[in-house]
Amino acid sequence: MNLPQVMTPARQQPVSREQTQALLDRRSAASALIKPRDHYTLADRLEAQADAHAERPFLIYGEQVLSYAQLDALADQMAHACLARGLGPGDVCALLMENRPAFFACWFGLVKLGVVVAFINTQVSGKPLLHALQTTGAKALVVGEECLGSLQATAGLPQLPVWLVNDTEQPWPGPLPHGVDTAFAGDLAAAPRSRFPRELRAGIEAQAPTLLIFTSGTTGLPKAARYSHMRWMSSGDVMEVTLQATADDVFYCCLPLYHGAAATSVTSTALRVGASIVVRRKFSVREFWRDVARHRISVFQYIGEICRYLLNRPVQPGEREHSLRCMLGAGLSGDAWQRWLERFGPIQVFEGWGATEANTNLINVDNYLGSCGRVPDWNRTNLRLVRYDVENDCHPRDENGFYQLCKVGEVGEAMGFIVDHPDIGGGRFEGYTCAAATESKIRRNVLQAGDAWWSSGDLLREDADGYCYFVDRIGDTYRWKSENVSTQEVADALSDLPGLELINVYGVQVPEHEGRAGMAAVLMQPGHVFDPQALYQLAEARLPRYAAPVFVRVSAAADMTSTFKLRKVDLQRQGYCPQACADPLFIRDENSRSYQPYSVEMLAQAGLPAFIGGQHG
């Protein structure tokens, strides 16, 4: 296999396997506190904590502070208002809103009613938005006033109620999109704040879905992953043990809540221990350390890109004098991790690996630089690394036809054994709203006849001490700007560019950046020339910004996809290096709203490093 090398920076000696396993055992015990058939939901935990910590601050948003009791009352108000509009237990309601207190009030209120909440990406419109509403089977859509532009840019919205929640910070400036119910805001404000009766949701079990969170697959549009009450609350139970979190902690929520990480790990853990959450609508490099100092933030959830932005900021006086004690997340490279600790001090880093829909995960509990987690004893986890042939896109099999486990140092796909037992929650694969999509992520007869495993699509490597390292994604999905991007979705969106013959979309590595940037190799029909402005406009109209190709190469080879998979590997290796590619190269330019011919100056303007002579410059 020809795979990217995983750099192993200098780091401390590993702690004993026994010490690591002891903490992992405590995490495992915490994850089993809630049983699948318990009649206990997220709403029950919210109300218990609101009673126990009534006056404690729960949400801090700018100058606004909401106590546990106040947020619980706002959730009750939402539940009463939605019940009056006809929603009931088991219904699905979509929520399209940016990070702000109203997001939590709407979300928790719907849960009190027994409704399943579908989080909608605030960056999507058009076909992706229509897909999101249709695939979740939403009976209604709650939309923040700040997101009305997504509705206005979408034709053919399904016939479902659209309930508007006002946003005093970002009022809508013009005529409202067709079908938006403005009376809801008044009805919501007039609804009672008395405790919503539990009887309506009393029959809901912990194993029932409470959230639908979209995650990108390897092909097609994003899929709506089911997230049960049990799994959501167990996340908080586990992270309480892992982070040693207490009510004195202050969590920082600067990632979008619709993604799941902020809505699961951060929110569930803070709620579990009675801690506070500082909510920011969008991440800000300039305001990050100011927020930490102002609110005495002790825990924040990162993605590698955020850490890179903060490391690229000029050194500030006193930046090592802060209240952060730990951070959790994914995508922090070994090099960036080392620079982070050297610059900002000895913060405990809980780098992890997993996915929204995953039935297994890893987390680095040892602060062991560069690793996403450790497996001291493979007999005590449902995770396995199986050999994968990248060039031929397949899993090698042994003489009995089964997959092969990786040896130490080998790179393989991470898979999770699917536990199917009515009284065991751990190891379940809760799947997607689409049965076919669920089945597509299951591999059967993997290590023995009749078994079933969740296929992650991620390549990992284990070292001799049991530490694991993320290597790459398999196939046609790459990660850019903290988002998973489906190459098939991008290709489909751009496939009717005038004069286009073929398009091949893939991700390429960019030095000093996490993930891969999108690149499109296009072949034009005879007599047609590539129109960079038309491609930009098409991408702008049909794709979220993060999914739009950063680079384009205009190919003259009619057989560019004759060996499609191998050719894509070759294209990825060449990247955007002009010495390795004789085709014309273009770079996406936000200023001119077009794709401009490749130049070092254009790269610099886009904030990207040069790639010269086969080496990154």
Side-chain angles (χ1 to χ4, degrees):
M1 292 192 296
N2 189 354
L3 291 166
Q5 294 297 307
V6 179
M7 301 304 294
T8 304
R11 53 175 169 256
Q12 76 278 9
Q13 292 296 311
V15 300
S16 73
R17 288 178 181 265
E18 290 75 19
Q19 287 176 300
T20 304
Q21 188 63 59
L23 179 52
L24 295 178
D25 287 343
R26 293 198 297 274
R27 282 170 47 89
S28 179
S31 71
L33 291 175
I34 299 170
K35 305 300 181 184
R37 292 187 280 194
D38 289 348
H39 289 93
Y40 186 63
T41 70
L42 187 165
D44 295 316
R45 174 160 289 182
L46 170 67
E47 292 178 353
Q49 295 299 79
D51 293 341
H53 306 285
E55 302 307 315
R56 289 190 62 83
F58 188 12
L59 298 182
I60 301 167
Y61 180 74
E63 301 302 317
Q64 184 181 5
V65 178
L66 288 175
S67 69
Y68 273 76
Q70 288 172 323
L71 183 66
D72 184 59
L74 291 175
D76 286 321
Q77 199 170 29
M78 180 70 177
H80 285 293
C82 291
L83 177 64
R85 293 291 177 115
L87 281 187
D91 289 335
V92 175
C93 182
L95 178 60
L96 177 62
M97 190 177 293
E98 292 182 352
N99 288 17
R100 54 189 180 105
F103 185 106
F104 292 88
C106 292
W107 167 22
F108 291 158
L110 290 165
V111 171
K112 282 185 177 238
L113 184 52
V115 169
V116 180
V117 185
F119 290 162
I120 307 298
N121 189 324
T122 58
Q123 298 186 58
V124 302
S125 60
K127 184 179 178 181
L129 177 56
L130 292 174
H131 167 78
L133 296 174
Q134 291 164 353
T135 194
T136 58
K139 188 174 179 180
L141 168 63
V142 174
V143 59
E145 190 173 4
E146 71 278 18
C147 295
L148 286 176
S150 295
L151 301 187
Q152 191 174 58
T154 302
L157 281 171
Q159 295 296 312
L160 80 169
V162 180
W163 300 332
L164 179 65
V165 176
N166 294 336
D167 183 6
T168 56
E169 295 175 278
Q170 298 183 34
W172 181 249
L176 291 171
H178 177 71
V180 174
D181 182 356
T182 57
F184 179 77
D187 294 344
L188 178 61
R193 295 190 179 186
S194 56
R195 179 63 61 85
F196 191 79
R198 187 181 183 278
E199 287 72 24
L200 278 176
R201 65 173 190 271
I204 296 176
E205 295 181 335
Q207 63 187 334
T210 183
L211 293 174
L212 300 177
I213 303 176
F214 281 89
T215 178
S216 296
T218 55
T219 58
L221 290 162
K223 301 184 286 289
R226 294 191 182 95
Y227 219 100
S228 67
H229 294 272
M230 170 183 61
R231 189 166 165 228
W232 190 90
M233 288 184 286
S234 293
S235 174
D237 297 341
V238 168
M239 294 312 296
E240 176 189 17
V241 172
T242 306
L243 305 178
Q244 298 181 12
T246 71
D248 294 328
D249 276 311
V250 180
F251 288 74
Y252 192 49
C253 176
C254 59
L255 298 179
L257 286 159
Y258 63 74
H259 248 329
T264 56
S265 296
V266 167
T267 307
S268 64
T269 310
L271 181 63
R272 166 68 179 175
V273 301
S276 302
I277 305 173
V278 174
V279 181
R280 175 164 281 278
R281 195 176 285 237
K282 294 178 181 178
F283 169 71
S284 167
V285 173
R286 186 181 65 179
E287 296 296 328
F288 179 86
W289 289 112
R290 294 181 187 177
D291 282 344
V292 170
R294 184 184 306 123
H295 301 294
R296 303 294 298 168
I297 291 166
S298 56
V299 184
F300 94 98
Q301 185 161 35
Y302 66 86
I303 54 174
E305 200 74 7
I306 282 180
C307 297
R308 188 182 67 80
Y309 291 149
L310 292 167
L311 285 168
N312 288 343
R313 184 172 182 247
V315 175
Q316 306 292 311
E319 64 183 15
R320 290 175 65 92
E321 300 166 4
H322 55 73
S323 54
L324 282 182
R325 66 175 187 86
C326 65
M327 48 196 268
L328 66 151
L332 188 60
S333 66
D335 175 66
W337 189 335
Q338 194 161 32
R339 289 168 54 208
W340 180 274
L341 297 179
E342 289 171 354
R343 179 167 171 180
F344 300 120
I347 304 169
Q348 178 82 24
V349 177
F350 293 96
E351 169 80 5
W353 168 84
T356 302
E357 74 276 33
N359 74 330
T360 189
N361 60 71
L362 285 167
I363 190 165
N364 187 332
V365 297
D366 303 333
N367 211 26
Y368 194 69
L369 201 63
S371 169
C372 60
R374 189 184 196 184
V375 183
D377 183 353
W378 286 94
N379 293 317
R380 299 167 77 171
T381 175
N382 70 326
L383 174 68
R384 294 293 184 273
L385 304 186
V386 299
R387 286 176 174 165
Y388 184 79
D389 183 342
V390 171
E391 296 295 334
N392 294 302
D393 189 21
C394 68
H395 297 88
R397 296 178 182 266
D398 63 18
E399 63 276 9
N400 298 314
F402 296 122
Y403 291 21
Q404 302 173 13
L405 293 177
C406 290
K407 295 180 179 178
V408 170
E410 287 186 329
V411 174
E413 182 187 2
M415 290 190 175
F417 177 74
I418 297 174
V419 177
D420 184 14
H421 190 285
D423 296 318
I424 299 175
R428 288 190 176 192
F429 175 46
E430 296 182 337
Y432 310 99
T433 55
C434 172
T438 299
E439 188 60 31
S440 72
K441 293 292 286 184
I442 299 175
R443 303 291 177 265
R444 301 185 187 279
N445 305 313
V446 172
L447 297 179
Q448 63 184 30
D451 64 7
W453 295 73
W454 169 70
S455 171
S456 73
D458 285 345
L459 298 173
L460 274 65
R461 174 181 64 85
E462 179 206 7
D463 70 13
D465 293 309
Y467 290 97
C468 296
Y469 306 84
F470 176 80
V471 176
D472 211 347
R473 277 290 293 173
I474 288 175
D476 293 337
T477 298
Y478 58 90
R479 194 164 181 82
W480 183 244
K481 302 294 186 184
S482 81
E483 300 276 356
N484 286 336
V485 181
S486 164
T487 59
Q488 187 63 50
E489 180 183 353
V490 176
D492 288 346
L494 305 179
S495 61
D496 58 353
L497 177 73
L500 182 70
E501 177 72 27
L502 294 168
I503 183 168
N504 193 355
V505 180
Y506 48 98
V508 295
Q509 291 182 318
V510 179
E512 304 168 8
H513 284 64
E514 304 293 339
R516 292 175 181 261
M519 191 164 186
V522 300
L523 174 67
M524 304 306 295
Q525 299 169 2
H528 290 265
V529 296
F530 172 62
D531 184 343
Q533 188 173 18
L535 182 67
Y536 183 99
Q537 292 173 347
L538 200 60
E540 192 76 354
R542 297 183 177 180
L543 294 168
R545 286 283 178 89
Y546 62 79
V550 177
F551 303 103
V552 175
R553 64 184 287 173
V554 183
S555 177
D559 63 347
M560 62 177 287
T561 57
S562 60
T563 54
F564 188 79
K565 292 176 182 175
L566 292 178
R567 181 61 172 156
K568 183 172 285 191
V569 171
D570 293 338
L571 293 172
Q572 287 177 316
R573 288 174 181 153
Q574 293 169 11
Y576 57 98
C577 173
Q579 282 72 32
C581 169
D583 297 330
L585 295 172
F586 292 79
I587 303 169
R588 180 179 169 89
D589 178 34
E590 303 289 353
N591 293 332
S592 64
R593 298 182 63 79
S594 183
Y595 283 84
Q596 296 295 338
Y598 175 97
S599 69
V600 174
E601 293 76 15
M602 185 55 62
L603 277 175
Q605 183 174 308
L608 300 167
F611 192 9
I612 302 171
Q615 298 291 327
H616 292 293

